[in-house]
Amino acid sequence: MSSRPSFEQYLQQTTDEVTEALKEILPVHWEMPQSLRDAMQYSLMAGGKRLRPLLVVAAAEALGAQRAAALPVACAVEMVHTYSLIHDDLPAMDNDDYRRGKLTNHKVYGEATAILAGDALLTHAFYSVVQAGRKNGVPAEALLSIVEDLSELAGARGMVGGQVADMEGEQGITDLEQLQYIHLHKTGDLIVFSLLAGARIGGATEGQLDALRVFGRDLGLAFQIQDDILDLTGDEQKMGKKTQSDVNQQKVTYPFFIGMEASQEQVKSLTQSAKEALGRADLSDSSRLMEIADYLMRRDH
Amino acid sequence: MSSRPSFEQYLQQTTDEVTEALKEILPVHWEMPQSLRDAMQYSLMAGGKRLRPLLVVAAAEALGAQRAAALPVACAVEMVHTYSLIHDDLPAMDNDDYRRGKLTNHKVYGEATAILAGDALLTHAFYSVVQAGRKNGVPAEALLSIVEDLSELAGARGMVGGQVADMEGEQGITDLEQLQYIHLHKTGDLIVFSLLAGARIGGATEGQLDALRVFGRDLGLAFQIQDDILDLTGDEQKMGKKTQSDVNQQKVTYPFFIGMEASQEQVKSLTQSAKEALGRADLSDSSRLMEIADYLMRRDH
């Protein structure tokens, strides 16, 4: 009998499997301009924590589903996340030359191709969701709900709405409520989506979905406040980008409003309330999701 | 007993219904930055022929489906078309200030919001497809196939692939084959999608879908060659943009390769072969689709 893998092993294995699946995500027989294929692959393979795919897989497994059924949807959310970073980095937006220590997409492929590679990744995410049905037998009704969730949580009332508020906020965020709106939508909604999608693959009840929504909301907010903190205190090499960049760009963060210590307290208390919500979800095995919550709070990059 | 509406009446009524549905496409209770809502609505309401929604509705009705069931999908394809125009017009792409006689999205809302409004429209298109099930009872399997078709035909191997080839082609298209690739994907694939989607709502067989694929391919190519011709000969006011702009920008068109007369012949023969394919599709009533094919060939804008 094999012993249960450690969290570090679980994390490494899941990240590796997602990265392998992403390498094959564009069917080789699909005809398309080589530059487009390269640009899409470049950003998909540019590293990153694969947090959102991890949450899809962990949520599906927490409900007793097979990992294979969750992988296409795990890849879908990573494609949506990746497209959002490509567009965020554009000259008309944050105008970043580097991301995770590598040149940004538009610095390598040019602005036009970067915009279109982002568009194609977003579009292909929905293709990948459908493949969970074609290849792994996830029921059509569950997949349609996943498509619906993704289009809501990644769209105008979700991630894109948060990004617009963030762009506008650069002309002056005046209160914590506004900053929280940005964090909840720009970052949080895709984290909520990941949990809901994994849970739907596992056949979750409405009650379980509701509990996971609360878990995801608190976890996402804790994650983003931790990001704000690490941006001010983190090690440049570990973060893969210039730290204090948000300070230099006059970007308003959680510590700006409530101070560093209270921000750290918030991360802890939000993680705690997230775990309490998770405890109420009545899952087959919530231990990996619990470990992920602790891991995100402890991380230094 | 009421007589059958003329084609002009049918066209006007369908266009009006689609435009009304698009006005309501963003739920009023959805919270989002006002600038994002405005930017999305601005381009959705900036006119246009509503050709793709018309094809969705006409294909659905040709198979005996109710128009109401097709409208959410008709709106979806118009949102995808609209997002592609917003992104095409960006400074990094075609850098156009006007479209259909109105300022382009980024000229009104700025580049960042225009990029994000495009992203949100693309995302919302998938939401709208799902609503055809939630509100009108279209079966989940049919909707999943529509999501799959849309993600293929609007994505890397479809419309976006065609757009990348077009951008790269501006540095010199050397043969007709390359131009045909661009036309088939940049324009044709969304026309094919519209027909397939409508047909799937009507419960089409694989044989009917195959015939409609050929119809759509030929119709789309005829449509785009006609656009090339009208760009050279058309009336500026009717076209809503500067004519001869493609010549001035050294853009290579069908007439450039095979001359004006042969291009006009191509439009006719492609329309003819499209109609023959449609004849083989064995639909309940293909008359409106036949009329649309003739109408597109005759149009002067």
Side-chain angles (χ1 to χ4, degrees), chain A residues 26 29-36 40 83 87-88 90-93 111-113 115-120 122-124 126-131 133-134 138-141 143-145 147-148 150-152 154-158 160-165 167-168 181 185, chain B residues 26 29-36 40 83 87-88 90-93 111-113 115-120 122-124 126-131 133-134 138-141 143-145 147-148 150-152 154-158 160-165 167-168 181 185:
Chain A
L26 278 172
H29 66 278
W30 277 19
E31 206 188 316
M32 67 184 74
Q34 190 59 43
S35 57
L36 178 60
M40 291 168 79
Y83 116 76
H87 283 190
D88 277 14
L90 288 168
M93 310 261 238
E111 262 185 82
T113 303
I115 294 168
L116 292 164
D119 294 344
L122 169 58
T123 311
H124 199 59
F126 289 95
Y127 182 82
S128 197
V129 170
V130 177
Q131 300 320 302
R134 300 278 181 258
V138 178
E141 277 299 346
L143 291 176
L144 266 195
S145 292
V147 169
E148 189 175 32
L150 182 57
S151 58
E152 270 198 62
R157 80 182 304 186
V160 172
Q163 172 65 3
V164 170
M167 299 297 308
E168 291 178 348
Y181 175 89
H185 294 288
Chain B
L26 279 172
H29 65 278
W30 277 20
E31 207 187 315
M32 69 185 73
Q34 190 60 41
S35 58
L36 178 60
M40 292 169 79
Y83 115 77
H87 283 190
D88 276 14
L90 288 167
M93 309 261 239
E111 261 185 83
T113 302
I115 293 168
L116 292 163
D119 294 346
L122 169 58
T123 312
H124 199 58
F126 289 95
Y127 182 82
S128 196
V129 170
V130 177
Q131 300 320 302
R134 301 278 182 258
V138 178
E141 278 299 347
L143 291 175
L144 267 193
S145 293
V147 169
E148 190 175 32
L150 183 56
S151 57
E152 271 197 60
R157 81 183 305 189
V160 173
Q163 173 65 2
V164 170
M167 300 296 307
E168 293 179 348
Y181 175 89
H185 293 289

Side-chain angles (χ1 to χ4, degrees), chain B residues 45-234:
Chain B
M45 290 301 134
K49 285 181 281 291
R50 310 293 189 207
L51 167 63
R52 293 151 192 85
L54 176 70
L55 291 171
V56 176
V57 169
E61 289 181 335
L63 278 132
Q66 293 298 307
R67 163 171 299 214
L71 270 179
V73 178
C75 289
V77 73
E78 190 70 1
M79 284 190 273
V80 171
H81 177 56
T82 302
Y83 115 77
S84 77
L85 299 182
I86 295 174
H87 283 190
D88 276 14
D89 288 336
L90 288 167
M93 309 261 239
D94 288 350
N95 195 22
D96 277 320
D97 291 355
Y98 288 91
R99 150 104 41 203
R100 297 167 184 161
K102 297 183 71 171
L103 284 171
T104 47
N105 199 290
H106 66 273
K107 294 303 285 184
V108 179
Y109 297 97
E111 261 185 83
T113 302
I115 293 168
L116 292 163
D119 294 346
L121 283 168
L122 169 58
T123 312
H124 199 58
F126 289 95
Y127 182 82
S128 196
V129 170
V130 177
Q131 300 320 302
R134 301 278 182 258
K135 293 180 187 160
N136 304 99
V138 178
E141 278 299 347
L143 291 175
L144 267 193
S145 293
I146 292 173
V147 169
E148 190 175 32
D149 285 347
L150 183 56
S151 57
E152 271 197 60
L153 292 166
R157 81 183 305 189
M159 185 185 72
V160 173
Q163 173 65 2
V164 170
D166 193 20
M167 300 296 307
E168 293 179 348
E170 281 169 18
Q171 288 125 48
I173 297 175
T174 54
D175 58 29
L176 188 64
E177 201 184 342
Q178 206 179 344
L179 181 63
Q180 194 171 309
Y181 175 89
I182 294 167
H183 283 359
L184 283 174
H185 293 289
K186 185 174 173 177
T187 310
D189 279 345
L190 219 50
I191 286 175
V192 171
F193 166 77
S194 303
L195 293 160
L196 296 180
R200 286 189 192 280
I201 291 166
T205 64
E206 284 302 320
Q208 290 174 319
L209 293 170
D210 286 342
L212 284 168
R213 252 182 222 106
V214 178
F215 174 65
R217 181 187 178 282
D218 289 352
L219 189 74
L221 191 51
F223 175 79
Q224 189 55 53
I225 297 173
Q226 180 75 345
D227 241 32
D228 283 359
I229 293 168
L230 289 171
D231 251 5
L232 292 168
T233 63

